[in-house]
Amino acid sequence: MKDNIALIGFMGSGKTTIGRLLAKALDMKYIDIDREIERIEKRPVTEIYKEKGEDYFKDLERKIIAEESLENNIVISTGGDSIIDNKNIKSLKETSFVVYLNCSIGCIYERVKDKTHRPLLNVDNLYETIVELYDKRRILYEISCDFIVDIDADTNMYDTVDKIKQKYILS
Ligand code: S3P
């Protein structure tokens, strides 16, 4: 069994909610990489993107993922596009059981449509943008994980937590 659990998946797939519950269920610490970046930078992700650019954000994300991966007994919730950088996957896989929250597009759309804190989703053609981004990323999520859990609008989050918990314990 690896020391940690890392959750990967598209924006709005439930990494934060599931991550918190999972950490509680397994008596582990919870860390959200985006919130950690915001804490260090003392400003929200949208502002970091606007003022310092995506590359700056990505550099910081890579550094924090590498650092947090060295901890143990933590559930790590990652930003939706962290899987694009191979170094992040390498860091995570060394110490974490990597779980892909495979949330349906319809469910993602419903969850993110009224939120404004994600720079890439502040667009007019939201549904098309989600489909386009998800099509590009899906394969990366799939090949980066140790376990896939499917989620849609009817999925009970406690069932999801339980599935991940069982799989992790048996891993
Ligand atoms: C991003 C996801 C966000 C955040 C940033 C970029 C993405 O995190 O890292 O806005 O491109 O998928 P969440 O997946 O936690 O929303």
Side-chain angles (χ1 to χ4, degrees), residues 19-150:
R20 283 210 172 99
L21 291 171
L22 192 59
K24 208 167 169 208
L26 285 163
D27 200 18
M28 292 165 90
K29 196 181 139 198
Y30 171 74
I31 176 117
D32 182 313
I33 299 295
D34 280 354
R35 298 297 82 75
E36 194 56 20
I37 293 173
E38 290 180 333
R39 192 184 62 75
I40 292 167
E41 287 290 306
K42 299 184 182 65
R43 68 193 97 185
V45 170
T46 35
E47 274 182 37
I48 305 172
Y49 264 67
K50 219 187 297 163
E51 289 166 20
K52 298 196 167 175
E54 188 173 353
D55 286 351
Y56 178 87
F57 179 85
K58 293 277 126 206
D59 285 348
L60 203 50
E61 180 181 59
R62 193 180 314 111
K63 186 170 161 272
I64 295 171
I65 288 179
E67 276 170 17
E68 293 298 336
S69 295
L70 300 177
E71 297 285 322
N72 55 50
N73 207 40
I74 58 171
V75 175
I76 307 170
S77 171
T78 61
D81 61 344
S82 48
I83 36 86
I84 291 172
D85 189 330
N86 215 11
K87 291 199 184 89
N88 291 335
I89 294 304
K90 196 166 172 290
S91 301
L92 292 171
K93 288 204 102 161
E94 265 168 32
T95 55
S96 302
F97 180 67
V98 180
V99 179
Y100 164 33
L101 303 186
N102 179 29
C103 190
S104 68
I105 301 252
C107 182
I108 286 170
Y109 175 75
E110 284 306 317
R111 287 181 184 176
V112 303
K113 70 180 187 340
D114 300 319
K115 308 260 168 66
T116 56
H117 67 280
R118 296 180 175 101
L120 295 182
L121 299 185
N122 290 334
V123 291
D124 293 332
N125 57 339
L126 179 61
Y127 193 85
E128 291 77 9
T129 303
I130 293 173
V131 171
E132 201 178 301
L133 279 174
Y134 214 144
D135 278 351
K136 277 193 208 147
R137 294 178 183 180
R138 190 183 301 271
I139 185 72
L140 292 172
Y141 291 129
E142 287 174 2
I143 61 171
S144 305
C145 72
D146 299 304
F147 179 51
I148 301 178
V149 61
D150 295 325

